Amino acid sequence: MAAASNPSVIALDKAALSKTVQQMAIDGDEPPPTYTVKDHKFGALETSAPSAPIPIIDMTSFLSPSSPDQEESELIKLRSALTTWGCFQAVNHGISSLVLQNVRQVIGEFFERPTEEKRKYSRKPGSAEGYGPDAVVTDNQVLDWCDRFSLRIFPACQRNANLWPENPSSFRETIEDYGSKILSTKAVLFKAIAKSLHLNEDCFSRVFTEDGAIMQGRFILYPPCPTPDRVYGLKPHTDRSGMTVLLQDTEVEGLQVLSNNKWFTVPLIHDALFVNLGDQLQIMSNAIYKSPMHRVVTNAQRGKISIAMFDEPDPNKEIGPIEALVDETRPRLYKTVKNYGFFNYECFQKGIVAIDAAKI
Ligand SMILES: O=C(O)CCC(=O)C(=O)O
Ligand SMILES: [Fe+2]
């Protein structure tokens, strides 16, 4: 997400101008060698990994608990989910089926627009916003078999109005509405996460949903891929956010999470939101909670769409392990970092893992 106007990056970043994955799929192209996975550092590319028993969190217990006991028992489940998996499926989150249907519809329609029209919103080299295939930022990068359209949603004053499409005509209103609802959902979840760690309930929500916090939407199209066993939809990674909220496709699976060195498929649950923690929550929780490694696999028959909402603190704000979570039995594991988004980007360029580089 961080802008990097470094000339070598700009020279390398030709993908924003090259053929989209959607076009390659329409033309029946074989994925070019730059898309082929060369190392299997994180395990083989198994397209049909077993289904993951990912915990389901019922948000009724946080939004309108019928009793303190009901809330307490869900907080215990939440704590267990975040120490083991680092992710969960949120149900009864209060966002209606109609809102979810509308957001899927406008994103689907955007990707259906003619290429020339979508090109008007192309990501500029070095920028984190806009439309296009995977950004090339290093020489030996393996590219992802997907096209992405990224937009800053909050703070509203930082929106890049030229990148918000005119078509479909309800795009702006729908994304703005969905963004506000996800922001409120995140605030509720961050408060529950703080409580589950016996912390002041605002300690995460303030950093990630208020005070200049950023919300970025990433809308991803994964077209069918003729060689799904050799190409990633999205490479194995952890998110750099505090928390990511993902609306999966209604029919096509593909997201996988790593647990005990094994990959598991995230099942599709009607109207659920898949929530995973990002590196910044792992840092602030002094690694009590996990930022899970995940990836996306493709298939030869059907494409799919994902809608992801990321957060970041104000880039000028420093984050580090919360003092109350540091003691003799659990010493401080991470340095204090500022603008983790940019730090993460620089690490990626150097081929190092940001969360490891943030260790003391
Ligand atoms: O599309 C998905 O299922 C996952 C997206 C994701 O992990 C990301 O954009 O960071
Ligand atoms: Fe991710």
Side-chain angles (χ1 to χ4, degrees):
M1 248 187 272
S5 19
N6 165 341
S8 65
V9 172
I10 292 171
L12 278 166
D13 189 7
K14 295 186 223 67
L17 305 168
S18 66
K19 199 166 175 178
T20 62
V21 174
Q22 187 177 22
Q23 197 58 50
M24 287 195 273
I26 291 169
D27 296 348
D29 296 355
E30 280 289 309
T34 42
Y35 283 81
T36 307
V37 179
K38 280 136 204 128
D39 81 55
H40 291 278
K41 198 164 55 170
F42 295 107
L45 211 173
E46 256 180 89
T47 52
S48 52
S51 188
I54 292 177
I56 295 175
I57 297 295
D58 183 348
M59 285 188 66
T60 315
S61 310
F62 309 140
L63 290 164
S64 50
S66 57
S67 67
D69 284 354
Q70 190 198 5
E71 183 183 17
E72 190 50 38
S73 86
E74 210 61 22
L75 288 175
I76 292 168
K77 269 173 76 183
L78 183 65
R79 186 178 173 105
S80 155
L82 297 179
T83 46
T84 54
W85 289 92
C87 59
F88 56 90
Q89 306 256 26
V91 298
N92 296 324
H93 41 64
I95 305 182
S96 71
S97 295
L98 184 64
V99 168
L100 302 182
Q101 197 181 313
N102 287 345
V103 71
R104 288 185 167 116
Q105 171 128 3
V106 292
I107 298 304
E109 283 178 22
F110 171 78
F111 282 116
E112 288 305 311
R113 305 297 302 176
T115 307
E116 279 326 299
E117 188 178 326
K118 292 195 292 269
R119 289 269 191 220
K120 289 202 281 187
Y121 310 107
S122 283
R123 187 177 50 75
K124 301 273 184 307
S127 165
E129 280 192 277
Y131 164 76
D134 199 1
V136 181
V137 296
T138 69
D139 280 327
N140 50 5
Q141 198 178 324
V142 174
L143 298 182
D144 297 326
W145 189 257
C146 64
D147 294 327
R148 294 170 213 170
F149 183 35
S150 298
L151 288 177
R152 179 152 306 187
I153 297 172
F154 294 118
C157 61
Q158 289 178 19
R159 283 185 198 153
N160 189 342
N162 297 334
L163 289 179
W164 285 61
E166 264 143 40
N167 287 306
S169 60
S170 56
F171 186 97
R172 287 168 197 235
E173 194 191 330
T174 306
I175 296 303
E176 190 160 37
D177 177 52
Y178 182 67
S180 312
K181 292 191 161 81
I182 292 292
L183 190 65
S184 309
T185 304
K186 281 189 179 215
V188 171
L189 287 172
F190 276 125
K191 286 184 177 150
I193 291 173
K195 285 190 192 171
S196 74
L197 289 164
H198 312 292
L199 299 170
N200 174 332
E201 76 163 11
D202 298 328
C203 68
F204 300 124
S205 60
R206 228 182 307 116
V207 177
F208 294 105
T209 66
E210 298 170 28
D211 293 356
I214 292 168
M215 183 191 271
Q216 190 104 347
R218 184 187 289 164
F219 316 120
I220 315 170
L221 175 76
Y222 300 93
C225 175
T227 55
D229 50 344
R230 283 191 277 133
V231 172
Y232 287 127
L234 208 57
K235 289 180 276 303
H237 67 283
T238 60
D239 289 350
R240 64 196 227 186
S241 55
M243 177 202 289
T244 305
V245 175
L246 183 83
L247 184 60
Q248 291 208 78
D249 195 88
T250 49
E251 292 177 5
V252 183
E253 290 179 337
L255 175 62
Q256 300 182 343
V257 287
L258 190 66
S259 176
N260 295 324
N261 293 319
K262 269 189 70 179
W263 288 102
F264 292 90
T265 299
V266 177
L268 303 179
I269 300 180
H270 182 68
D271 281 358
L273 295 168
F274 174 75
V275 179
N276 67 270
L277 297 188
D279 291 355
Q280 301 197 56
L281 226 290
Q282 178 165 323
I283 292 173
M284 288 183 80
S285 71
N286 204 24
I288 294 174
Y289 285 172
K290 276 194 358 197
S291 165
M293 180 72 73
H294 54 286
R295 68 183 186 185
V296 177
V297 298
T298 60
N299 74 80
Q301 286 79 37
R302 302 184 68 186
K304 67 175 199 127
I305 286 178
S306 296
I307 296 168
M309 294 285 181
F310 302 91
D311 49 47
E312 306 251 6
D314 177 332
N316 297 311
K317 197 174 265 175
E318 290 198 319
I319 61 137
I322 291 184
E323 281 308 324
L325 303 177
V326 176
D327 61 26
E328 303 89 71
T329 59
R330 195 168 192 97
R332 171 185 290 269
L333 292 176
Y334 299 103
K335 302 179 237 183
T336 302
V337 286
K338 213 184 202 181
N339 200 349
Y340 187 79
F342 188 65
F343 176 72
N344 181 71
Y345 177 82
E346 286 183 316
C347 289
F348 181 64
Q349 276 186 293
K350 293 182 203 145
I352 51 182
V353 177
I355 190 76
D356 293 341
K359 278 194 184 133
I360 281 177

